[in-house]
Amino acid sequence: MGKNISHFVPLVIIGIGLIILGLVAAGVISNRGFTADYTVIPSKVNFPAPEITLNNLKGERVSISDYNQQVVLINNWATWCPPCKAEMPTLSKYFKEHSDQGFMLVGIDAGDPADEVANFVDEYGLTFPILLDPNNKSLIVFHNDNLPSSYVIDRNRNVVLAWTGPISQAMLEKYVTPLLEQ
């Protein structure tokens, strides 16, 4: 019996080592871009805001440059995208709380039919502008076809923050609110 147990000791040690390695790796991964509430930390970038002109749900042409002198968060999303759905209440809340400070949120739907987008907007009670992007122009000009993806344009028309993935209220407060106070 003692001999049989001694065969298992190396396996147990290896198993414990693998568990520890897994926990360390999970800790390292979780500290590289994600916070405890699974939000993505934005990348700081600096490039001129691209010009995008699309139709809103009423069929009116809207350009991103229409929001000059405001801090604008462009959010690329789709009705079928689970992380997009998950972040919508947060984005909507932040918009309502900060729109009087010169903040504009523009949601750009990535190719869904207009009636599905309208139903989504109604279901989520969205009050910020929603643009339809049937040809994915926004994804192309930002060189990112992942959803959700978001970009913050400062008052000088420069893109200064970029997210790929869901955004939390804490990240908006930490990174966008200071731009509103400038």
Side-chain angles (χ1 to χ4, degrees):
M1 183 142 179
K3 189 173 186 174
N4 288 340
I5 291 176
S6 65
H7 289 293
F8 289 108
V9 171
L11 292 175
V12 170
I13 292 171
I14 290 171
I16 290 171
L18 289 173
I19 290 170
I20 291 170
L21 266 172
L23 292 172
V24 169
V28 168
I29 291 168
S30 68
N31 289 329
R32 286 195 181 174
F34 289 88
T35 62
D37 58 0
Y38 304 107
T39 183
V40 175
I41 297 171
S43 297
K44 291 184 180 183
V45 296
N46 188 11
F47 58 90
E51 184 51 48
I52 303 168
T53 301
L54 299 165
N55 290 337
N56 64 17
L57 287 168
K58 295 177 184 175
E60 301 163 334
R61 301 292 286 168
V62 177
S63 295
I64 299 307
S65 62
D66 293 344
Y67 304 108
N68 279 341
Q69 304 306 312
Q70 292 181 293
V71 174
V72 180
L73 187 146
I74 303 295
N75 177 253
N76 293 310
W77 63 281
T79 61
W80 50 264
C81 166
C84 301
K85 292 177 182 182
E87 75 177 355
M88 274 305 160
T90 299
L91 293 173
S92 183
K93 179 181 177 204
Y94 188 85
F95 172 70
K96 288 175 185 174
E97 291 173 354
H98 295 280
S99 61
D100 62 341
Q101 294 176 274
F103 174 72
M104 178 53 67
L105 171 59
V106 178
I108 300 179
D109 175 76
D112 292 317
D115 60 332
E116 288 180 26
V117 175
N119 289 338
F120 185 96
V121 167
D122 289 342
E123 179 183 341
Y124 282 81
L126 304 179
T127 58
F128 51 87
I130 300 294
L131 305 181
L132 302 172
D133 192 2
N135 298 316
N136 295 318
K137 283 183 186 178
S138 183
L139 298 176
I140 292 166
V141 299
F142 284 108
H143 307 287
N144 186 352
D145 60 359
N146 295 298
L147 297 175
S149 59
S150 298
Y151 303 88
V152 176
I153 302 169
D154 69 10
R155 296 181 202 276
N156 297 318
R157 305 278 308 134
N158 291 310
V159 179
V160 294
L161 296 170
W163 274 276
T164 299
I167 303 172
S168 71
Q169 184 78 20
M171 290 297 106
L172 290 167
E173 293 294 349
K174 182 174 181 177
Y175 292 97
V176 179
T177 301
L179 296 172
L180 298 174
E181 295 167 353
Q182 294 178 353

